[in-house]
């Protein structure tokens, strides 16, 4: 998945990415054309501004022209930025989420250099952080060809009725061979590794063992266990553990230079939600791309499915 687009109410993925690029190209081209004719109209009215008002457009027409010019200029500016960014990602063969992961990996490398080459994982496990290159950046032409459906015909890249890529074409991708094939992408992230099960959390999992009550007593006992479980989740024990942001965990260890860099890249903006709310240099978190951060990061492993579904309904 590249990202979830709220404007089209659809996920931009391997199957829809070529259509998304064509949509942006056609939209920007159409708005440039409209901007051209609107500027001609505005210039003509300005050149004849000294004529009597009854020879020109009415007040309503002028207001409509002004609103249309401002709205089209704003949307043209916004979509042009999105198109340039998407074309840049297409040339590098990276999705929006992969671009976030690349910057996240660079951040972990910088943190590891400060702390001796490794970082703390779940329950204090030390994880060595090694530099990994993005494996799917082949060449500009190959990257664009793969992103636009795999056809060698440049004309088909812009054809509005081009065939949607097949599901089988998204099962395996060519790699550049820089890294060892055994390495996976994204690289290991200590804050996204599953916590190992702890026996002490299961010692008192049940209030009783075996059937000790009548049918009504069994139901009452079940409700009692349910209330106790709900209370433990609300109190945070042994519920989801929110790791504080990196600067709060190692505030006395990292240098002022590293701390100021962290502020520039937006780490402090995610401090209210924990490390899973980490933001890149553009202030974006995984949640901005439609990713459920509670599931993606390791501290969400202890969340019951009902709680995850409830949170999703609340955000919808």
């Amino acid at each position: 998945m590249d990202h979830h687009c709220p404007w089209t109410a659809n996920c931009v993925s391997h199957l829809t990415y070529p259509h998304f690029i064509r949509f942006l190209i056609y939209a920007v081209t159409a708005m440039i054309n409209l901007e051209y004719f609107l500027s001609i109209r505005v210039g003509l009215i300005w050149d004849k501004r000294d004529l009597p008002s009854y020879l020109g457009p009415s007040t309503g027409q002028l207001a409509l022209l002004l609103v249309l010019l401002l709205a089209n200029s704003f949307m043209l500016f916004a979509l042009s930025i999105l198109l340039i960014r998407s074309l840049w990602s297409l040339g590098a063969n990276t999705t929006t989420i992969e671009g976030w992961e690349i910057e996240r990996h660079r951040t972990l490398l910088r943190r590891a250099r400060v702390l001796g080459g490794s970082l703390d994982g779940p329950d204090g496990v030390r994880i060595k952080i090694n530099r990994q290159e993005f494996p799917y950046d082949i060449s500009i032409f190959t990257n664009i060809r793969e992103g636009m459906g795999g056809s060698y015909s440049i004309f088909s890249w812009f054809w509005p009725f081009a065939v949607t890529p097949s599901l089988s074409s998204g099962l395996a991708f060519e790699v550049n061979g820089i890294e060892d094939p055994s390495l996976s992408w994204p690289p290991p992230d200590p804050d996204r590794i599953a916590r190992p099960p702890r026996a002490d959390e299961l010692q008192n999992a049940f209030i009783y063992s075996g059937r000790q009550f009548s049918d009504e007593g069994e139901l009452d006992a079940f409700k009692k266990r349910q209330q106790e479980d709900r209370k433990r989740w609300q109190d945070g024990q042994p519920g989801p553990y929110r790791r504080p942001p990196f600067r709060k965990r190692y505030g006395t260890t990292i240098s002022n230079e590293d701390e100021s860099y962290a502020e520039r890249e937006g780490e402090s903006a995610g401090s209210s939600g924990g490390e899973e709310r980490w933001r890149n240099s553009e202030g974006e978190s995984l949640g901005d791309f439609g990713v459920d951060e509670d599931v993606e990061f390791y501290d969400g492993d202890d969340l019951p499915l009902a709680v995850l579904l409830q949170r999703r309904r609340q955000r919808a």
Side-chain angles (χ1 to χ4, degrees):
M1 185 179 79
D2 185 87
H3 69 282
H4 180 78
C5 180
W7 308 109
T8 60
N10 195 8
C11 289
V12 179
S13 62
H14 173 71
L15 302 182
T16 59
Y17 191 76
H19 303 303
F20 178 71
I21 293 294
R22 285 189 284 268
F23 163 74
L24 290 179
I25 292 176
Y26 292 147
V28 170
T29 302
M31 285 187 290
I32 290 176
N33 186 57
L34 178 59
E35 191 80 5
Y36 170 73
F37 286 106
L38 287 176
S39 61
I40 292 178
R41 180 60 176 167
V42 171
L44 181 63
I45 294 176
W46 179 258
D47 293 338
K48 297 182 179 181
R49 62 185 181 277
D50 296 330
L51 293 178
S53 59
Y54 62 87
L55 296 179
S58 63
T59 303
Q61 291 173 336
L62 285 175
L64 179 61
L65 179 63
L66 178 61
V67 171
L68 183 59
L69 178 63
L70 293 177
N72 186 73
S73 300
F74 173 78
M75 291 302 300
L76 177 59
F77 175 75
L79 283 186
S80 297
I81 294 177
L82 180 58
L83 175 61
I84 293 173
R85 177 176 178 178
S86 299
L87 293 177
W88 178 275
S89 299
L90 181 64
N93 205 18
T94 60
T95 64
T96 306
I97 295 177
E98 287 172 340
W100 184 94
E101 291 172 341
I102 291 173
E103 189 167 350
R104 171 73 177 177
H105 180 54
R106 292 172 181 170
T107 300
L108 295 178
L109 285 173
R110 189 182 63 257
R111 294 176 177 180
R113 284 196 298 267
V114 177
L115 299 175
S118 59
L119 297 175
D120 288 336
D123 296 333
V125 177
R126 298 290 291 180
I127 299 176
K128 187 174 180 58
I129 306 297
N130 296 317
R131 181 181 180 84
Q132 284 186 226
E133 296 295 335
F134 184 67
Y136 304 112
D137 187 3
I138 312 299
S139 65
I140 294 180
F141 179 81
T142 304
N143 294 342
I144 296 176
R145 175 176 60 83
E146 292 296 328
M148 296 303 293
S151 174
Y152 284 90
S153 174
I154 299 179
F155 175 77
S156 66
W157 299 350
F158 304 97
W159 180 243
F161 303 106
V163 179
T164 300
S166 62
L167 287 174
S168 60
S169 65
L171 299 179
F173 299 94
E174 183 181 357
V175 296
N176 51 30
I178 297 178
E179 297 289 350
D180 191 322
S182 62
L183 297 178
S184 62
W185 185 269
D189 188 337
D191 295 308
R192 301 167 73 182
I193 296 177
R195 296 174 61 189
R198 293 183 290 182
D200 58 341
E201 294 181 356
L202 304 177
Q203 289 178 355
N204 298 320
F206 298 96
I207 295 178
Y208 70 99
S209 60
R211 185 177 179 86
Q212 301 177 357
F213 307 100
S214 61
D215 291 341
E216 185 177 352
E218 292 278 352
L219 181 59
D220 293 337
F222 171 77
K223 291 182 178 180
K224 182 179 180 180
R225 296 196 305 272
Q226 194 176 44
Q227 292 175 357
E228 292 296 329
D229 289 341
R230 186 179 295 110
K231 184 177 183 301
R232 284 197 297 269
W233 288 114
Q234 292 174 351
D235 295 341
Q237 296 294 333
Y241 170 64
R242 302 290 187 187
R243 297 194 79 189
F246 178 76
R247 292 196 306 117
K248 287 189 176 182
R249 281 181 281 163
Y250 300 96
T252 58
T253 305
I254 59 177
S255 63
N256 293 331
E257 181 180 356
D258 296 321
E259 190 168 357
S260 62
Y261 190 96
E263 291 178 355
R264 290 199 305 270
E265 68 180 6
E267 291 182 20
S268 59
S271 58
S272 61
E275 184 65 23
E276 73 276 10
R277 298 297 190 267
W278 181 87
R279 298 178 181 273
N280 60 11
S281 57
E282 298 181 6
E284 299 166 329
S285 66
L286 279 179
D288 297 326
F289 308 136
V291 178
D292 194 334
E293 295 168 318
D294 290 328
V295 175
E296 182 69 16
F297 278 77
Y298 83 87
D299 62 3
D301 280 0
D302 291 333
L303 285 175
L305 179 60
V307 175
L308 294 176
L309 293 176
Q310 181 181 10
R311 292 186 178 183
R312 180 173 295 181
R313 286 194 296 267
Q314 291 174 351
R315 288 194 296 265

